[in-house]
Amino acid sequence: GLHHGSITTRTLWGEMAWQIGGEKAFKPFQASDVECVAPGTTVIEELIGDRPTLVMLDEFARYLRVAKAVSTANKKSDLAEQSVAFLMALIEVAATRPNLVLVLTLADSQDAFAKETDTVLVQLKEALRISARQERVLTPTGETEIARIVTHRLFETIDENAGKATADAYGEYLSQISEKGVEVPANALTPSYRTELANAYPFNPELLRVLDKKTSTIPNFQRTRGALRLLARVVKDLWQRKEATLLIGTHHLNLGDEDIKNDLTARLERPVFRQVIEADIASRSKANPAHAQIVDQRLVEAGKAPFAGRAATTILLHSLAQGTTTGIEPGELNLSVLQPGDDPHLLRKAISTLLGEAGAEPGTAAWFLHYDGRSYRFKTEPSLEKVVQDEMGQITRLQARTELDHRIRAIWKKGALRPSYFPSEAADLDDDAAEPKLAILHFDAVTIGEEGGTTLPELVRKLDKHAGNQAGFRRYRNNLCFLVADKAQVDRMGEQVTRWKAIER
């Protein structure tokens, strides 16, 4: 209970009476307060009288969870049931009194205390019908209010002139890149979007939109409080790292920060995405950087922005929700990540590298990143093909050559011809009339199919003409055959054996 000097209130109705009229108003409610039994409408009407009265009940469902453990004096009910009964009586009084307004807040049925919220809604169904004419349902955090609520809660002051200037800069930049063929959503080129940019300042509205429209569909994410907690961590992280930016966007969620990572994985019951982050976006191990970190290191060394990490972080945030909204389209990704001064083609190149498209270096393809021709998304199952490509980058040329040498020796064994493996000097090949010989020349030493068509390579001419005997010339030339690698197939052979070794690993 709550202590008020000599009086302690134990129930909602007892506390309401005390706040409205002190000890005198509390006395008619004292017995029902002590016994935890809801009062009737008559005593509530007498308490309100003719005075204009506002009764506000916040987080009612949360209170019910605690009240469930408190029994009434007669042990036939509990305080939670009696609190619902009191609420119904209060609604009944409010429905007939012009001087009484009742404000009741209930979380969404997908939010915290969902069970209690549903219980209240079911039990109040009849009472809400009674009060339908007086009732007005308000959703305080509508789409247009989210930005105002967030910025008001997180910052003491905001420079509106800076917000307008930033919005204008973004608007001009988006128009410029759109004219050059870079894909951006049509609504981003309208004057109303500039207004949205200014209102959301210093946040990129795309960050607030994904939290409000996608992340909020995850049952464990509280639409307003969850967003505030996450954004507070992002602002703190940016401040500590002294990172300058025009707007705080989706890519500023530092997934290397454990608190931010936990907010997006463990807290949302998405623990499997931790392996996605570790492998593809932000690894805790400097010895084994994530794929985006590898790509970004090369970009930064070339004086470019770290677009791979920016893109990957944004895509991950759009991948947490399940269903048809999972993923982000290229135009939306450009809008979320790019800012004035950025080169859009560098962003596209970074994404292409992460996808392992043609020309990507080994070891840079993200294991969990997918593109279906419409949108990018992270899945929790790795792409086996990308894992193999990654391992191919770990196979050295010496390892591949050793494997090929072993396979060549295993394939061409003694039969009608006696093989001689990789001769380079005349002395390596016997010159006699015994069993015919097959000289298998090493693919690194000589190939055929170069300019000049089927012209014999010089090493073949040398071994065919000369022998290791005293005379210096080969007598039994017709007893010797040569096997030479096709130049056009050597590179493919190297790739195939490298792939095999990678799969074996």
Side-chain angles (χ1 to χ4, degrees):
L2 298 176
H3 301 291
H4 305 286
S6 60
I7 292 177
T8 297
T9 59
R10 296 175 175 82
T11 63
L12 290 177
W13 47 92
E15 179 61 23
M16 181 184 72
W18 173 267
Q19 290 190 23
I20 289 177
E23 185 174 352
K24 182 179 178 181
F26 174 72
K27 281 193 174 180
F29 289 83
Q30 188 166 10
S32 59
D33 182 75
V34 171
E35 295 175 1
C36 294
V37 176
T41 56
T42 303
V43 69
I44 295 175
E45 289 175 344
E46 291 174 355
L47 172 68
I48 302 301
D50 297 326
R51 292 172 296 180
T53 305
L54 171 64
V55 178
M56 301 177 69
L57 292 175
D58 187 29
E59 294 284 11
F60 187 70
R62 178 181 179 183
Y63 174 77
L64 292 185
R65 180 170 292 186
V66 180
K68 190 74 177 173
V70 180
S71 299
T72 58
N74 58 17
K75 307 294 184 182
K76 294 182 178 181
S77 181
D78 58 51
L79 185 56
E81 292 180 355
Q82 293 300 311
S83 295
V84 173
F86 161 68
L87 182 58
M88 294 179 69
L90 190 59
I91 288 176
E92 189 176 337
V93 174
T96 59
R97 289 294 188 103
N99 61 310
L100 173 60
V101 174
L102 170 64
V103 177
L104 172 69
T105 69
L106 290 172
D108 188 270
S109 59
Q110 293 182 333
D111 212 329
F113 310 105
K115 182 179 178 181
E116 288 78 6
T117 299
D118 289 338
T119 299
V120 174
L121 291 175
V122 169
Q123 296 195 30
L124 292 182
K125 193 172 183 180
E126 195 63 38
L128 291 175
R129 281 205 193 102
I130 296 171
S131 64
R133 292 186 179 182
Q134 289 78 27
E135 177 192 23
R136 177 178 295 178
V137 178
L138 299 176
T139 304
T141 53
E143 186 172 350
T144 57
E145 289 97 349
I146 288 290
R148 292 294 189 186
I149 292 172
V150 168
T151 53
H152 175 73
R153 290 288 296 274
L154 294 180
F155 301 101
E156 288 184 0
T157 58
I158 294 175
D159 187 342
E160 292 187 5
N161 291 328
K164 187 177 184 304
T166 301
D168 289 339
Y170 263 86
E172 292 297 327
Y173 171 72
L174 293 173
S175 296
Q176 291 172 7
I177 63 174
S178 176
E179 289 173 0
K180 294 178 180 179
V182 178
E183 186 178 352
V184 292
N187 71 296
L189 305 175
T190 63
S192 62
Y193 191 73
R194 292 196 184 191
T195 303
E196 191 175 351
L197 282 163
N199 290 338
Y201 182 82
F203 292 105
N204 187 320
E206 299 310 309
L207 170 57
L208 303 181
R209 200 184 321 280
V210 67
L211 293 177
D212 183 46
K213 298 297 184 184
K214 289 189 177 181
T215 315
S216 64
T217 62
I218 302 173
N220 283 16
F221 186 83
Q222 294 174 306
R223 187 166 175 258
T224 304
R225 292 181 183 179
L228 281 170
R229 180 178 57 250
L230 180 62
L231 293 175
R233 296 192 194 282
V234 172
V235 172
K236 175 186 175 183
D237 175 71
L238 280 173
W239 180 262
Q240 290 178 336
R241 291 191 287 116
K242 304 299 181 187
E243 182 175 337
T245 181
L246 290 177
L247 290 177
I248 302 172
T250 49
H251 56 278
H252 288 114
L253 275 71
N254 179 12
L255 297 178
D257 182 283
E258 278 300 313
D259 289 334
I260 294 175
K261 187 190 300 183
N262 282 330
D263 264 8
L264 293 175
T265 55
R267 188 182 285 273
L268 300 183
E269 295 186 356
R270 297 289 191 271
V272 290
F273 278 98
R274 288 188 71 89
Q275 66 185 17
V276 176
I277 294 171
E278 286 287 332
D280 289 343
I281 306 174
S283 171
R284 290 171 294 179
S285 171
K286 292 183 179 180
N288 295 295
H291 296 104
Q293 290 173 319
I294 295 172
V295 178
D296 281 341
Q297 183 178 359
R298 296 169 187 175
L299 284 171
V300 172
E301 289 173 354
K304 311 298 183 183
F307 285 112
R310 292 183 180 182
T313 301
T314 301
I315 295 169
L316 179 90
L317 192 58
H318 281 264
S319 302
L320 294 173
Q322 304 298 310
T324 57
T325 61
T326 303
I328 181 172
E329 296 181 10
E332 294 175 327
L333 183 62
N334 291 334
L335 187 60
S336 297
V337 174
L338 294 173
Q339 62 180 17
D342 285 343
D343 184 349
H345 299 295
L346 289 176
L347 172 61
R348 179 68 192 94
K349 185 176 180 181
I351 296 171
S352 175
T353 302
L354 289 176
L355 287 170
E357 294 177 352
E361 296 182 39
T364 57
W367 288 359
F368 298 90
L369 181 61
H370 298 261
Y371 179 60
D372 60 8
R374 180 176 175 271
S375 59
Y376 304 105
R377 62 174 52 84
F378 277 106
K379 296 183 179 180
T380 55
E381 290 294 327
S383 164
L384 296 182
E385 177 60 31
K386 291 178 181 178
V387 176
V388 171
Q389 289 179 14
D390 219 17
E391 286 296 328
M392 286 176 69
Q394 307 301 316
I395 306 300
T396 65
R397 178 172 173 79
L398 177 60
Q399 289 174 310
R401 174 175 169 166
T402 302
E403 177 68 21
L404 282 172
D405 290 354
H406 171 74
R407 283 173 175 257
I408 289 170
R409 290 175 183 273
I411 291 171
W412 283 284
K413 294 181 179 179
K414 184 177 179 181
L417 302 176
R418 177 165 62 87
S420 177
Y421 302 105
F422 317 134
S424 59
E425 300 292 339
D428 296 336
L429 291 171
D430 294 335
D431 183 26
D432 55 42
E435 54 191 345
K437 302 159 189 65
L438 175 66
I440 303 172
L441 302 188
H442 201 282
F443 54 89
D444 271 350
V446 61
T447 57
I448 197 167
E450 302 179 35
E451 290 185 12
T454 57
T455 302
L456 287 178
E458 184 59 32
L459 180 59
V460 175
R461 290 178 179 276
K462 173 185 172 183
L463 295 177
D464 175 60
K465 186 175 181 180
H466 297 279
N469 53 32
Q470 293 180 349
F473 292 94
R474 188 171 297 280
R475 296 178 61 191
Y476 299 96
R477 294 172 66 183
N478 285 350
N479 207 30
L480 177 62
C481 297
F482 291 91
L483 184 62
V484 183
D486 182 349
K487 179 178 175 62
Q489 297 295 324
V490 169
D491 287 343
R492 181 173 178 273
M493 179 173 68
E495 291 174 2
Q496 290 291 338
V497 76
T498 300
R499 181 178 177 83
W500 160 256
K501 293 295 291 182
I503 293 171
E504 188 178 49
R505 281 167 59 95

